[in-house]
Amino acid sequence: MVCLRDQKGAALVTALMLTLLALVISSTLLYTVMAGSRLSASHKRYRTALAAAKGGVEVLGEEIVPRLFQLESLNSLQSNFASINLHLPQYDCLRQKIDTQTSQWTFCAVDPVPADPSVMPDATFKLSSNQGRDFQISAKIVDTVPGNSDKSGMDFLELGGSVASRDEIIHPRHVPAIYNLSVQGVREGGANQEKARLSVLYAY
């Protein structure tokens, strides 16, 4: 029986194991750094798309919907907002959504109306970006609860009187109309689809 006591090569095996361990640690660190960079870039793209979607909510709520209350015509609306390439593909349906509750929408092609703003949108327009590619905004009214708001745009506020003055006119309690708006912002072109979607309650 021969006993092998030669330890030649042990240092090589140890060195190889340490090298493998260092390679695994280096690969893990590299993957973590790259994944963090991709995640950071993704968050930045999402924040940009989210800002565009918020801008779309402001344009729709502060500019377009009040003009719909004024019964402005389709051609007039689209020409007044030609700079943002406004299109109202379902104008009759949109007009009905402004004035009637959800269960009475008869001009809309699909019942129930899908919540996805990119499917049969009520309004589409573009918002410019300083990075060269514009954002396409799609918006729609998903639900309506009618109120008693004055839609004329005229100010009927009466001049104030003294404490002892008497008002013979009965003023009904104001119940605003409430709309559930769904808005989506998508950057045009490019390999990465920067997209954000918002659901907003709008009261008028």
Side-chain angles (χ1 to χ4, degrees), residues 88-133:
L88 304 172
Q90 301 188 99
Y91 184 71
D92 291 335
C93 174
L94 180 58
R95 288 283 326 125
Q96 194 172 51
K97 288 179 177 182
I98 289 293
D99 295 326
T100 59
Q101 62 185 7
T102 310
S103 60
Q104 297 177 356
W105 294 349
T106 56
F107 290 155
C108 302
V110 179
D111 184 28
V113 174
D116 187 350
S118 63
V119 178
M120 301 173 60
D122 293 330
T124 61
F125 51 91
K126 292 182 181 180
L127 295 180
S128 299
S129 168
N130 58 4
Q131 299 177 0
R133 288 181 289 141

Side-chain angles (χ1 to χ4, degrees), residues 5-6 22 31 46-47 56-57 63-64 82-83 96 99 114-115 125 129 131 136 141 166 186 197 199 202:
R5 298 178 181 277
D6 191 1
Y31 174 79
Y46 174 72
R47 284 196 303 268
V57 170
E63 299 294 337
I64 298 175
S83 60
Q96 194 172 51
D99 295 326
F125 51 91
S129 168
Q131 299 177 0
Q136 179 70 29
I141 297 175
R166 183 176 177 184
V186 181
R197 185 177 297 170
S199 182
Y202 174 84

Side-chain angles (χ1 to χ4, degrees), residues 52-177:
K54 289 180 179 178
V57 170
E58 291 182 6
V59 170
L60 183 68
E62 296 180 11
E63 299 294 337
I64 298 175
V65 171
R67 290 173 180 262
L68 291 170
F69 289 137
Q70 306 290 325
L71 301 178
E72 191 167 344
S73 68
L74 173 61
N75 292 334
S76 175
L77 262 173
Q78 293 187 154
S79 62
N80 285 333
F81 292 95
S83 60
I84 61 172
N85 200 20
L86 174 65
H87 289 288
L88 304 172
Q90 301 188 99
Y91 184 71
D92 291 335
C93 174
L94 180 58
R95 288 283 326 125
Q96 194 172 51
K97 288 179 177 182
I98 289 293
D99 295 326
T100 59
Q101 62 185 7
T102 310
S103 60
Q104 297 177 356
W105 294 349
T106 56
F107 290 155
C108 302
V110 179
D111 184 28
V113 174
D116 187 350
S118 63
V119 178
M120 301 173 60
D122 293 330
T124 61
F125 51 91
K126 292 182 181 180
L127 295 180
S128 299
S129 168
N130 58 4
Q131 299 177 0
R133 288 181 289 141
D134 296 341
F135 279 91
Q136 179 70 29
I137 307 297
S138 304
K140 72 184 340 176
I141 297 175
V142 180
D143 188 32
T144 300
V145 178
N148 62 356
S149 299
D150 174 44
K151 301 176 183 178
S152 68
M154 299 178 65
D155 187 6
F156 291 107
L157 185 64
E158 297 181 354
L159 296 176
S162 63
V163 177
S165 65
R166 183 176 177 184
D167 191 356
E168 301 293 340
I169 302 174
I170 298 175
H171 296 281
R173 180 183 173 209
H174 175 223
V175 179

